[in-house]
Amino acid sequence: MTDAAPSPRPLSPDEVATIRAGYEVEGAVLELGALVNGEALPDVRVRIPIAMTNRHGLVAGATGTGKTKTLQVLAEQLSAAGVPVFAPDIKGDLSGIAVAGESNDALLERTAAIGQQWAGAAHPTEFFSLGGVGPGIPVRATVSSFGPLLLSKVLGLNATQESSLHLVFLYADQNGLPLVGLDDLRAVIQFLTSDEGKAELAELGGLSKATAGVILRELITFAGAGADVFFGEPEFDTADFLRVTDDGRGIVSLLEVPGVADKPALFSTFLMWLLADLFNDLPEVGDLEKPKLVFFFDEAHLLFRDASKDFLAAITQTVRLIRSKGVGIFFVTQSPKDVPGDVLAQLGSRVQHQLRAFTPDDAKALRAAVSTYPNSGYELEEVLTTLGIGEAIVTVMNERGAPSPVAWTRLRAPQGSMDPAPADTVAAAIAASPLQPRYGQAVDRESAYELLTGRMTAAAEPEAARDAVASTDAAREQYEKALRDLQKGERTRTRTPTRRTTAPAPGVGDVLGDVLGSRTGQTIIREVVRGIFGTLGRR
């Protein structure tokens, strides 16, 4: 890692003393690094109180400035303190947390300069994947548990369409139609707008074909964006993200999501479900000495890209309220402007890596970022563009709930590997996981799609049977008429013997042969054979 150019104006001794006092903490902490004032000051340590991590945070900075390594540093220390961690591993390099890092002279020199006694260490890690796509223990949810409210927000439905979707879920629940995958939901909607099913919701106002059409089109688009792989069984229990090891370390749960940039709907859908499920299941606990779980949303701009107003409102409300459930959330992204203002206002800690100002829009974003910091002794508009890799401007929420002084910080190095974990290491961790037997194999039980298909088939069978009986009766009548005509002709020839001047009339065998060789005769044969085998089957 390279160091930044010195500050144009070093902080005064009083300003340094203010920063030192601002980061003195009585309880457990996450060590971020050392203050930079021309050079690193190892005795002026910058840290976050662990008790304040449920007040959420932001890690931002341009590509290549060290955001992922900062995330890794925080996750490692949380794990060591007994706090479970969840993070999506967008680029795959966060998996190195499962492997002890290797030292070198440059690393030891840098860490010694900031007062870090570095030693490589691996941390307990589980690897997950969405719906089993990619390496990891599959994470799935059913459509029923996802619910109509969250699904309406994800699909961007209006109030009328959302109300109709609630009716569909209600009908499925009351009629024993499990909604497991998106195909189940589509099947129920199609049934309720068919001639056979449209009367089912008549008392409740019904489901208009126009509204159903909109919902079905949105579901098709949603599935086409890759979200269908997330829905299925066995459904994942989010409590499994809150586990610790026998020696008290928090387990780091990494969601392997390669190519997620091409499937933002899948990514945001999963994260919204996960937060909503935790919010619904966890009890109110208030402020704890340490959180029950800390989330890191890497590439957070994917969560908010093209999001509807309702979706953003749901995120804002969740971030505001979930801290009382003992859950902290850190957004990791390139620029603070990637996070909506209402969400940004809820974040207590900020670790801002270098920002770049190559365009007028970049310069505007830089000025906006600077305006959100407390007063400091820095020319932040200049400092933020000259920070070195592995350096950041930091301000956090202290133990009293007030913002700490702004501190130019040289950040600690991760103890885990800074490279992706080897594939065989990941595969071994997945195979050894106690969760693999529970979630590894997909279950395809009978759900709404199969039940409705069977119901429609059963309803069609009596009508088909009636048609077959009518056809058989007609064939039998034709056969009997032909037989009567034949017998009548035989009696006439017996009473009036004459010398034959024409070809002999066909006998009974000839007529039966003609009849049985015809379509009518073949129908009779089939019905006779079917009756025989049906009788044998019942016996």
Side-chain angles (χ1 to χ4, degrees), residues 460-486:
E461 284 178 352
E463 184 176 348
R466 286 193 297 271
D467 292 343
V469 169
S471 176
T472 303
D473 290 344
R476 186 177 293 109
E477 289 177 4
Q478 183 179 356
Y479 170 76
E480 291 174 351
K481 181 178 183 298
L483 188 58
R484 287 195 301 272
D485 290 345
L486 178 62

Side-chain angles (χ1 to χ4, degrees), residues 422-442:
D424 56 349
T425 300
V426 175
I430 296 168
S433 171
L435 302 180
Q436 181 66 15
R438 194 187 317 169
Y439 301 116
Q441 188 65 40

Side-chain angles (χ1 to χ4, degrees), residues 57 64 66 346 348 357 442 464 478 486 491 523:
Q346 308 298 319
Q478 183 179 356
L486 178 62
R491 287 195 298 273
T523 299

Side-chain angles (χ1 to χ4, degrees), residues 75 78-85 123-125 243-245 247-252:
L78 286 165
S79 172
V83 178
V85 172
H123 296 79
T125 307
R243 295 177 300 134
V244 297
T245 61
D247 60 0
R249 292 180 295 165
I251 292 178
V252 179

